[in-house]
Amino acid sequence: MKRISAQAVTKAVRDMCISANRYQPEDVKAAIKAGEAGEDSPTAKEVFRQLSENIDLAAGTGLPLCQDTGLAVLFVTLGQEVYVEGNLSEAINEGVRQGYGEGLLRKSACDPFSRKNTGDNTPAVIHYDIVPGEALRIAFMAKGGGAENMSRVMMLAPAEGWEGVKKFVLTRVAESRSNPCPPIIIGIGIGGTFEHSAKLAKLALMRKLDDVNPEPDLAAKEEELLGLVNRLGIGPMGLGGRHTALGLKILTSPCHIASFPLAVNIQCHSSRHEEVEL
Ligand code: SF4
């Protein structure tokens, strides 16, 4: 049995909140650099150049990558042989509280009706998975409002299948236009239930941009749909270009025989996420 203190959890979450809001993951940085070279239009090239400059400025100054430092979303994978000394959820929320406070990050959490800010960016949205083993893995994502607002869940008829998925995703991206600050990353969850598909879609955004789906059929589907999305021509910041999306990732799960749940979680170019293992 491995023992982990609540303080260690809090510190890890605090550090990720600050660091993810300052430093883009290497795969996103590389995709943005490649985007500039891959555009023909001077406007699209200039947008990509400014995005790269913004990444360098944030890393150099310690200022956040974007003024919207997001709602804190955490995926916790808890090994059954781990004993956390203290309340795990409270330790995570304390980490968010400290990270957003000490990192001078904007607090975006508020009551949905009164719009009163909770003051410390808590409560975080925490998803738990229990697995065998002695490891505690925590993945943090700072999810901005602009891109999250463009996301949707749809219960397709089973007969709609892949064609239905493509139609829904393309319509969603086309209707979103510049709102989610493209170039976007698209997380797609297919299967499970209504809420499980949404969780899968968000989890898909944690995958690296340059990974290849281990299931060849899904890898082909990801490539096909990413190509179709980029043919929409919305381009970086909606100003036209070849790159509407930097990546498109699909996760699936078995579903009810009468259902075809489909969730599309849209992520802006400022894809701020990190993982740690304790
Ligand atoms: S969508 Fe992303 S880049 Fe745009 S304002 Fe929100 S967090 Fe910032």
Side-chain angles (χ1 to χ4, degrees):
M1 176 73 66
K2 183 176 183 179
R3 301 175 84 88
I4 297 174
S5 69
Q7 288 81 359
V9 172
T10 294
K11 177 158 183 350
V13 172
R14 172 208 173 272
D15 291 352
M16 284 195 291
C17 291
I18 296 174
S19 159
N21 269 294
R22 288 182 184 163
Y23 309 108
Q24 282 282 13
E26 289 302 320
D27 57 327
V28 179
K29 263 165 74 172
I32 288 175
K33 268 260 171 279
E36 184 181 348
E39 290 287 352
D40 298 325
S41 130
T43 306
K45 277 186 182 295
E46 176 59 14
V47 173
F48 271 117
R49 191 198 63 74
Q50 289 186 15
L51 293 181
S52 288
E53 186 181 19
N54 184 60
I55 290 170
D56 293 341
L57 279 171
T61 61
L63 290 169
L65 286 149
C66 180
Q67 45 75 34
D68 182 351
T69 52
L71 208 61
V73 179
L74 294 112
F75 288 97
V76 178
T77 311
L78 178 64
Q80 286 181 152
E81 307 304 320
V82 174
Y83 175 66
V84 177
E85 298 167 330
N87 184 313
L88 179 54
S89 297
E90 276 181 18
I92 290 170
N93 275 307
E94 181 58 24
V96 171
R97 195 171 288 121
Q98 290 181 13
Y100 276 75
E102 293 168 30
L104 304 179
L105 304 172
R106 193 183 83 184
K107 288 80 182 169
S108 302
C110 72
D111 179 88
F113 284 111
S114 71
R115 310 309 292 178
K116 188 174 181 315
N117 199 295
T118 65
D120 57 11
N121 222 39
T122 69
V125 177
I126 310 173
H127 304 279
Y128 289 100
D129 270 322
I130 312 292
V131 298
E134 274 204 333
L136 169 60
R137 283 194 301 282
I138 305 176
F140 164 80
M141 173 187 281
K143 196 67 173 72
E148 191 74 350
N149 288 347
M150 298 299 110
S151 305
R152 297 286 186 276
V153 175
M154 177 70 184
M155 303 302 282
L156 295 180
E160 291 180 87
W162 179 234
E163 290 306 312
V165 172
K166 288 193 288 187
K167 191 171 160 201
F168 186 78
V169 172
L170 289 170
T171 304
R172 186 82 298 275
V173 175
E175 287 177 356
S176 300
R177 296 209 61 83
S178 62
N179 287 306
C181 297
I184 55 175
I185 299 160
I186 304 169
I188 298 177
I190 300 173
T193 50
F194 179 84
E195 85 284 3
H196 190 55
S197 65
K199 182 181 169 188
L200 289 174
K202 183 149 270 120
L203 208 43
L205 294 173
M206 292 289 192
R207 281 175 49 196
K208 287 200 182 308
L209 285 176
D210 49 6
D211 78 354
V212 177
N213 199 307
E215 291 185 41
D217 177 54
L218 287 178
K221 284 180 163 58
E222 288 175 356
E223 195 181 336
E224 179 192 357
L225 191 44
L226 178 61
L228 293 170
V229 164
N230 281 329
R231 251 173 265 157
L232 291 172
I234 294 167
M237 289 298 161
L239 296 170
R242 291 171 180 267
H243 299 81
T244 298
L246 298 175
L248 183 146
K249 305 291 175 187
I250 301 175
L251 291 179
T252 64
S253 178
C255 60
H256 191 282
I257 51 173
S259 300
F260 196 117
L262 165 64
V264 183
N265 198 191
I266 295 187
Q267 171 61 50
C268 60
H269 66 270
S270 201
S271 178
R272 296 150 298 176
H273 60 94
E274 281 193 17
E275 285 186 44
V276 71
E277 183 171 322
L278 298 175

